[in-house]
Amino acid sequence: MSTSAPFLSMQRMSKHFGGVRALDEVDLEARSSEVLALVGENGAGKSTLMNLLGGVVLADQGSMAIEGAPYAPKNPRDALRVGISFIHQELTLSPSLTVAENIYIGGYPKRMGLVDHRRIDRDAESILARLGVEVDARAPVRELSIGDQQLVEIARALSNDVRLIIFDEPTSSLSVAERDLLFAVIRGLRDDGTAVIYISHFMREIFEISDRISVMRDGRNVGTLQTAEANVEQVIRMMVGKELEGAITRETPPKHEEAVRVSGLSRDGYLEDVSFVLHRGEILGIWGLLGSGRSELARAVFGLDPVERGEVMVDGVHQVRLSPTAATRAGIGYVPENRRADGLVLDMNVRENITMASLRQVTRGPFGWLIRSKEEQMARHQMDRMGIVASGTEHKVDNLSGGNQQKVVLGKWLALRPDVYILDEPTRGVDVGAKDEIQRTIVAVAEAGASVLLISSEMEEILRLSDRILIMRRGEIVREVLPGEASQEQLLKYGTGGI
């Protein structure tokens, strides 16, 4: 590990988005010939800090330096010029181009005014050999595995004389063998003098690959540890920072009757033999880190994503064809993770969005004539019930705040009154007041006898609302715990493979 001056120095970096403080005077150093792990819960500020480093967003306060020289990127090109490159979880390759063409895309060498394909292939092979990667430079990228595609991304970074490379959750879609090969490449980069920042939720990986660990919480860097002198429990305590209150007291306990039974649900690369039972009146929490498969599970049960194997039974009836229409008819409602993309029609008003899942209740006759008065009554009832702040039912949804948009999505399914609610991140991006209202509504529908599959990345929310908690990792359910017997530390340990 290098003891020289840092390659990168970030001092007192601060950033606000509207009234939200994303970063609060963060200091960070990355050194050549070192792997620095950057860890923290979702929303801790890791991505914002890296976006400042990459010139994606501009800082409100603070300064950066590269090898002691001031560095103030205004766009990603500025970062590339000083040798900073990012390997994102979502790959950015062009599937139809060859490996070599992807490595040199945007800067093809030419000969006599034409692209020199021979040189591209030769230089690409040289870079791949440096990485110890056995990939055909002439092969189309679409023919490669995800792991090999990621190595091509790294090769592309090296073609630009990279001096600092940032890996953001790089192993979430990799097999064990692909992960081991990636780690060998990262160690090779470190040994060649490259500075590496490695972002991951998986504790075992952090302790296996890093030299130092910087921990972020609530927009701050709360400490940096030498990996060799740290342990999993210490890092998790720094990430969490406080003890949680107990779970919310339920007046009506869930029944033992089955509402939904999921058996062996599998989708290659996303879900692996997922099985569980959801009881009537139960809030069943599904918790896992980014890439654990929690959202993929919700989408599969509701029929949005295909599955290769497994079945879903609702009230003992086998759902032969999993589709949103079949799920809705079976009495399942679904609040998606991305409300703007999947939960709302932004150009429509509040009334139209709330009633779109319940049109049978507000129409009549063989041609489905809309009864405007019933539609208006249903919309106003849900607006009052959810405390939606809007000028009226004609208010365009796109102009509502994030919290009120989320309430509209919930109101849409509350109007339908399904027997089962699948809620994926139901309080993401909402303020404290809206979060409390939504959480109380979740408990209320369970008290009334509905079943809730609650998916959340927030450990506090999962522990406070759930009757049982299933922990997912890499597409599998790895543990079942009871909230009264669980802690944030335990969730993180099981979710990261720390024990």
Side-chain angles (χ1 to χ4, degrees), residues 327-343:
T328 302
R329 287 176 178 171
I332 300 177
Y334 170 62
V335 174
E337 180 181 23
N338 189 332
R339 58 178 172 259
R340 291 180 64 86
D342 302 322

Side-chain angles (χ1 to χ4, degrees), residues 81-98:
R81 289 190 188 101
V82 298
I84 297 175
S85 187
F86 288 77
I87 306 298
H88 298 283
Q89 181 182 0
E90 300 296 331
L91 302 178
T92 59
L93 303 176
S94 297
S96 60
L97 299 181
T98 67

Side-chain angles (χ1 to χ4, degrees), residues 21-22 46 140 151 164 180 189 191-192 203 231 241 250 261 289 296 308 331 340 348 356 381 385 430 444 461 483:
R21 181 188 64 190
K46 305 185 299 296
L151 294 174
L164 167 63
D180 290 344
L189 292 169
D191 295 344
D192 286 343
M203 288 294 111
N231 57 55
R250 291 280 302 277
R261 175 176 287 271
L289 297 166
E296 288 79 4
E308 278 83 30
R340 291 180 64 86
M348 295 172 65
M356 67 172 58
H381 175 70
R385 179 180 185 180
V430 303
E461 183 165 79

Side-chain angles (χ1 to χ4, degrees), residues 49-64:
L49 186 65
M50 292 300 99
N51 283 337
L52 296 183
L53 174 60
V56 178
V57 296
L58 302 180
D60 297 333
Q61 174 187 308
S63 63
M64 291 183 280

